[in-house]
Amino acid sequence: MSLAIGLALIVFDLIVSVIETYKTISAIKSESTPIMKDLNQALDEDNDGDGTEGFQDKYGLPVVNSNARQTNEERYLRTHLDDGSTVEDCVRVFREMCEMPLDDDLLLFECNSLSPYEERFMFSLVRQYPDGEGEYYQLRVLLEFEPDNINRRIVESKWSDTVPDFWQYIENSKAYKYACNHKAKRVVIMLEET
């Protein structure tokens, strides 16, 4: 009998934990909470290239990724792209984002089916730029496709400083033509540091 009561308490505790975790995640993602409204307002304001001082002073919390220019570019991609986006959409939106000026940036287009974790074909666009501390940020849009006999043979990698018309090169590539005729299983936007 005590075993049944113990198991019931554990199950109840797990259910409560799941509900509380869901509430927390919903509150973080929601702009209806005062702290999230303030954070979004701070990121939208550009005070000395940061825009987060007021938020940090009010809440005493650091803001990860507080470079407003970088945040705006990432936000632009996330606002205009999702898992339903086509390769045409991704290239167009990424190209629009690249019109936002940055110092000393480079663009990278790469495609392959090599992954250390799983089999997949990846179509990737990267904007690389200095972080101001001797390293680089890489803002990436990655389309993932199921592997097949065709895409396993497609391997491409070009930096914007190695081809005369970077965007035309992409649109004429085998990878782009392949991706135009196949649906990506997901679109990933990520910001990495080198």
Side-chain angles (χ1 to χ4, degrees):
M1 180 70 163
S2 61
L3 180 62
I5 292 172
L7 286 174
L9 288 173
I10 290 172
V11 169
F12 177 76
D13 188 44
L14 284 171
I15 292 170
V16 170
S17 295
V18 168
I19 291 170
E20 289 301 314
T21 301
Y22 176 77
K23 285 181 184 178
T24 303
I25 290 170
S26 295
I28 290 170
K29 289 183 176 180
S30 170
E31 290 190 12
S32 64
T33 60
I35 192 170
M36 290 310 296
K37 282 183 181 177
D38 287 349
L39 176 58
N40 286 324
Q41 180 181 357
L43 290 171
D44 287 338
E45 296 171 358
D46 190 18
N47 302 329
D48 301 319
D50 187 324
T52 59
E53 292 88 356
F55 178 84
Q56 291 172 338
D57 293 342
K58 184 173 181 179
Y59 293 101
L61 298 170
V63 177
V64 178
N65 247 355
S66 64
N67 181 321
R69 185 168 32 179
Q70 157 195 333
T71 302
N72 288 337
E73 291 169 1
E74 185 177 1
R75 183 181 297 155
Y76 183 84
L77 294 175
R78 292 187 186 282
T79 301
H80 292 87
L81 298 175
D82 58 32
D83 281 338
S85 299
T86 64
V87 70
E88 294 98 330
D89 296 333
C90 291
V91 171
R92 178 184 48 78
V93 169
F94 192 84
R95 185 175 186 172
E96 291 168 359
M97 181 274 302
C98 288
E99 292 173 5
M100 297 176 183
L102 280 173
D103 294 332
D104 196 27
D105 65 332
L106 275 175
L107 306 178
L108 171 64
F109 163 62
E110 60 184 344
C111 300
N112 62 55
S113 56
L114 307 174
S115 171
Y117 309 109
E118 61 183 289
E119 280 198 41
R120 60 185 176 166
F121 174 70
M122 298 176 293
F123 181 102
S124 176
L125 299 167
V126 180
R127 188 173 190 189
Q128 177 177 287
Y129 50 97
D131 69 354
E133 298 177 10
E135 294 295 327
Y136 292 89
Y137 290 117
Q138 290 188 333
L139 183 55
R140 179 182 308 268
V141 172
L142 175 72
L143 289 89
E144 294 182 3
F145 296 85
E146 291 292 337
D148 62 32
N149 289 332
I150 297 170
N151 66 30
R152 282 190 174 104
R153 294 186 304 242
I154 302 174
V155 177
E156 296 187 62
S157 179
K158 292 291 180 192
W159 287 95
S160 58
D161 65 345
T162 63
V163 291
D165 188 338
F166 184 71
W167 303 109
Q168 185 177 8
Y169 178 87
I170 291 171
E171 291 173 356
N172 290 330
S173 70
K174 287 181 184 179
Y176 182 81
K177 291 174 184 172
Y178 172 88
C180 285
N181 293 311
H182 295 81
K183 180 163 175 42
K185 65 180 183 179
R186 71 180 187 149
V187 175
V188 180
I189 298 166
M190 65 181 108
L191 182 68
E192 303 168 307
E193 287 188 73
T194 61

